[in-house]
Amino acid sequence: MRNLVRRKAMTAAKDQPEHHRLARTLSWPHLVALGVGAIVGTGILTLIGVGADRAGPAVLLSFVVAGLICACAALCYAEMASMIPASGSAYTYSYAVLGEIFAWIVGWSLILEYSLVVATVAVGWSGYAVGFLKGLGIALPEFLTHGPTADGRFGINLPAILIIGVVAWLLMLGTRESARVNSALVVLKLITLALFVAVALPHFDPANLQPFAPFGYGSTPGEGGVKFGVMGAAAIIFFAFYGFDAISTAAEEAKEPERDLAIGIVGSMVACTLIYMIVAAAAVGALPFGRFSDSAEPLALILREIGQGGIATIVAAAAAIALPTVLLAFLYGQSRIFLVMARDGFLPRGLAKVSPRGTPARITAATAAVVAVLAALTPLDMIASLANAGTLCAFVGVAACVLVSRRRDPDARRPFRVPGAWIVAPLAILGCIYLFTSLQAVTQWSFLVWNLLGLAVYFLYARRRSGLTRS
């Protein structure tokens, strides 16, 4: 038992071997842009349709619920990131505070989160890209625009594979270069959403909000195990808000991590919550939710339905250009988490080697190959839901780290402190657990199976290769 809960002392980035050391090139504006780029993406551009299908116009409340829970989790991340300015996000914090077995479970869940988020966003981007090409009169073969479907149709999502390859190449090119591209695309994305609101808001019709909550306010099982209602939709809409945790993976590349990480996490979360509420209100007010709920490009569809086909083409094009910022942020974050796990011996140590440009090129390429297969062959709602389960586990872990560290070492230096920690952190834990119970049963069982597999890997392989075991 002592080995299972042994904790890892955090090593300063400067103390890492040179071939494992990342270059410090990011300031707080880069981190805010990274957070906004990660948060504002598939959730509002694609999954708003899925959420409306499950909650109706009350999807607005689903955004509020998911946003509040994520805000509590974001504050916990900000405190831990300022205390432990090292790459690895929730995995690193759990290793330092809770112990090795908890770190492994959180890290294993983060593998699920980041891999499936990248795959989900790639599939969402593919929907917009295909729609944009159709608007130009270019039609790809139907079987190359989606993965295998529930009704037995075969397909392979070629656009999703291509965009993952492009983003991976950009990340391997260099962190500063990819950050600059990300910042420019974030600005384009925000302009696109502002354009949608400006055009859709004048068409706001209060009648489209009635009935407001046709499926209720809780979480009601429906056909195929899908959960309906405000909380059922919040469990899937939750995907729209996280992304700020990717900022915490940039700790070893931030110029002043103790200050910049907290600014990036809290700043991006506040900005994105406001953006989401405005866009969601404009969407459900402009068109009855049933007419866009099953679309792969709901915002563009809404614009076409209200007679703004030209603007719809612009929005689809901008989404196709700007959505890769989410891919970039999460593929970036995942490669850094895998880098730390490789340093700790949980993954092959050779993957921790960085390129002459100071980027973990090997592990970025390996990660891109895995998520490309997922994106090519998996339906959007299934992978988004399962990604949420992995994220909820990580958020619970970080909130628990705040409480345990406050109790164990109350006088430790905390450049950022969660206000009302003994209220905020438990709210984050309870909220995440409730959202997990609101996920469909197949997602819950899949997550359980994934973690049982992870525990088997830990006891049969990773535990013996752990850096703490070796030392």
Side-chain angles (χ1 to χ4, degrees):
M1 281 300 299
R2 282 199 301 272
N3 285 343
L4 293 180
V5 295
R6 56 192 175 185
R7 292 182 288 135
K8 174 189 171 188
M10 288 300 101
T11 304
K14 62 182 178 60
D15 296 330
Q16 293 290 342
E18 187 173 351
H19 61 283
H20 286 179
R21 199 178 304 161
L22 301 171
R24 291 195 179 276
T25 57
L26 304 178
S27 56
W28 71 261
H30 292 125
L31 297 178
V32 172
L34 182 69
V36 173
I39 298 170
V40 179
T42 302
I44 195 66
L45 292 170
T46 301
L47 287 181
I48 187 174
V50 178
D53 182 55
R54 300 185 182 191
V59 70
L60 293 172
L61 294 182
S62 301
F63 273 105
V64 172
V65 171
L68 287 175
I69 294 173
C70 277
C72 292
L75 291 171
C76 294
Y77 265 88
E79 176 167 319
M80 295 309 302
S82 66
M83 280 186 69
I84 308 174
S87 289
S89 186
Y91 162 78
T92 295
Y93 312 147
S94 299
Y95 214 159
V97 178
L98 303 179
E100 184 171 286
I101 187 65
F102 297 101
W104 172 262
I105 292 171
V106 169
W108 191 253
S109 297
L110 287 173
I111 292 174
L112 188 70
E113 173 197 346
Y114 279 83
S115 298
L116 296 185
V117 166
V118 174
T120 302
V121 176
V123 173
W125 178 88
S126 176
Y128 272 90
V130 170
F132 171 64
L133 291 175
K134 283 183 179 178
L136 297 179
I138 303 172
L140 295 176
E142 195 268 342
F143 76 95
L144 291 180
T145 62
H146 61 79
T149 62
D151 58 7
R153 288 181 296 140
F154 172 76
I156 181 168
N157 203 324
L158 183 61
I161 296 174
L162 293 177
I163 193 59
I164 289 173
V166 170
V167 171
W169 169 79
L170 182 60
L171 284 171
M172 289 187 284
L173 189 64
T175 301
R176 179 181 295 174
E177 292 79 4
S178 57
R180 288 172 178 169
V181 172
N182 178 71
S183 298
L185 293 182
V186 165
V187 172
L188 174 62
K189 190 189 301 185
L190 296 181
I191 292 173
T192 301
L193 292 177
L195 177 63
F196 169 80
V197 171
V199 174
L201 207 54
H203 295 267
F204 188 93
D205 183 358
N208 291 332
L209 302 182
Q210 300 300 327
F212 184 67
F215 308 112
Y217 291 92
S219 178
T220 306
E223 185 179 351
V226 174
K227 299 288 184 71
F228 289 88
V230 170
M231 295 307 300
I236 191 76
I237 285 295
F238 176 77
F239 182 95
F241 280 93
Y242 62 78
F244 60 82
D245 52 328
I247 297 173
S248 62
T249 67
E252 291 183 22
E253 291 159 282
K255 293 178 180 177
E256 296 184 47
E258 292 185 352
R259 180 199 68 180
D260 294 348
L261 291 174
I263 293 175
I265 291 170
V266 177
S268 61
M269 189 65 202
V270 170
C272 292
T273 300
L274 180 61
I275 292 168
Y276 274 7
M277 295 307 301
I278 296 172
V279 174
V284 298
L287 198 70
F289 73 91
R291 289 165 63 181
F292 67 84
S293 60
D294 60 349
S295 173
E297 40 162 8
L299 299 190
L301 176 64
I302 291 169
L303 292 172
R304 285 195 291 268
E305 290 288 323
I306 62 176
Q308 300 291 335
I311 302 297
T313 301
I314 294 173
V315 168
I321 295 171
L323 261 182
T325 60
V326 185
L327 286 174
L328 188 147
F330 277 94
L331 195 57
Y332 169 91
Q334 184 179 20
S335 63
R336 271 56 182 179
I337 291 171
F338 283 1
L339 173 72
V340 178
M341 294 181 76
R343 286 175 180 170
D344 291 338
F346 288 143
L347 297 175
R349 291 179 181 272
L351 293 176
K353 186 175 182 180
V354 300
S355 71
R357 290 178 174 271
T359 63
R362 292 182 180 181
I363 211 155
T364 300
T367 302
V370 172
V371 296
V373 173
L374 289 173
L377 301 174
T378 315
L380 176 63
D381 58 345
M382 181 185 297
I383 51 181
S385 183
L386 195 52
N388 284 356
T391 305
L392 289 168
C393 177
F395 283 9
V396 168
V398 174
C401 284
V402 169
L403 297 177
V404 171
S405 65
R406 288 284 186 103
R407 187 77 173 181
R408 178 187 292 145
D409 195 359
D411 298 324
R413 185 170 179 270
R414 293 175 171 85
F416 176 87
R417 297 178 66 89
V418 176
W422 292 98
I423 297 175
V424 171
L427 282 177
I429 293 172
L430 294 175
C432 289
I433 292 174
Y434 186 75
L435 286 182
F436 182 82
T437 64
S438 299
L439 292 170
Q440 51 189 315
V442 66
T443 301
Q444 296 169 356
W445 282 108
S446 297
F447 180 72
L448 177 61
V449 170
W450 172 258
N451 275 287
L452 289 176
L453 175 62
L455 289 174
V457 172
Y458 173 75
F459 284 108
L460 296 176
Y461 170 80
R463 184 167 174 245
R464 294 196 303 270
R465 298 180 60 86
S466 164
L468 294 184
T469 299
R470 288 167 172 259
S471 62

